[in-house]
Amino acid sequence: MIDIDKLQFTYNNGFNLYIKKLDIKKGDIVSIIGPNGAGKSTLIKIISKIIKNYTGKIMIENKELSNYSYKELSRKIAIVPQEFNTTFEYDVESVISTARLPYSRRFSFFETQEDKKIINEVLELVGLVKYKNKPFSQLSGGEKQKVMIARAFAQKTPILLLDEFSSHLDPGYTQNLLKLVKSMAEKEGKTVLAVFHDINSAAIFSDKIVVMKDGEIKYQGTPKEIFKETLMKEIFDIEVYIIEHPIKKIPQILYK
């Protein structure tokens, strides 16, 4: 589904990203964790073609990323960013409707009955039907992220990229959104690559965890393979206890 080989990118400040190998299979839910400046968001921006001047190979569904037009790529990949704001006073339904642009005819965009059906379905799924005519700018942070989740699912892509989409939300909203996205992704068989600031949320959300530091992938594995006291010390320079979640039976960290 996503196959990265010898990817290299360098910022003007000298930061170097080098991903020797990363293979994400269809249906995988993968989280990326690592300290600030590890290159997590840079990797997401490269996969989504926001950053283009890289070297190496990125294959999306067996096709080189550079060979995709933006419209073609928008039918393969949807993104939920950390934050999204618009200078125009769009309502919720209008923001979500932009997800259907990759399927519109050239030079015009008129919602088809299929578009309207999809938009109404995702509004229902995320619980925003009563907000559909409300200006996006008047929503809370959590409500805005729900809109962006709905927009991503309305795009009907096989791949979903999440770039620290819950970083600025309170614990309640964070947990609700994580459950929502995971259940929707699993139901539709999506492949998910998510960047997380919260390590424990990453373990609950994902099947596999990729650990980055200094622009490289240091470790890959299941939460049980990754959550080790020595690894947390090496990567994050923190002292932790590793405990098991009493219900989900996955590891979680407690700070010493």
Side-chain angles (χ1 to χ4, degrees), residues 1-4 47 49 54 56-77 159:
M1 182 61 73
I2 303 176
D3 189 8
I4 298 175
I47 295 172
K49 219 173 178 181
Y54 63 87
K57 186 168 68 173
I58 303 175
M59 303 295 291
I60 307 293
E61 288 198 328
N62 299 314
K63 181 177 177 179
E64 170 61 49
L65 177 63
S66 60
N67 292 330
Y68 279 98
S69 68
Y70 284 107
K71 190 168 186 176
E72 288 172 332
L73 191 63
S74 295
R75 294 180 181 180
K76 297 294 182 183
I77 295 175
I159 300 171

Side-chain angles (χ1 to χ4, degrees), residues 27 29 153 160 179-192 205:
I29 297 181
F153 278 89
L160 181 62
K179 289 177 183 177
L180 177 66
V181 174
K182 185 166 185 175
S183 65
M184 290 172 70
E186 289 178 338
K187 182 179 179 181
E188 297 186 13
K190 289 188 184 294
T191 301
V192 182
F205 182 76

Side-chain angles (χ1 to χ4, degrees), residues 81-88 90 136-137 139 144-145 148:
Q82 187 173 353
E83 288 183 307
F84 175 82
N85 290 294
T86 174
T87 55
F88 299 101
Y90 290 123
F136 182 79
S137 61
L139 301 178
K144 285 181 177 178
Q145 287 303 75
M148 298 316 295

Side-chain angles (χ1 to χ4, degrees), residues 234-247:
E234 174 193 343
I235 300 298
F236 297 99
D237 194 25
I238 52 174
E239 302 282 349
V240 301
Y241 299 105
I242 307 295
I243 63 170
E244 184 178 74
H245 192 289
I247 298 173

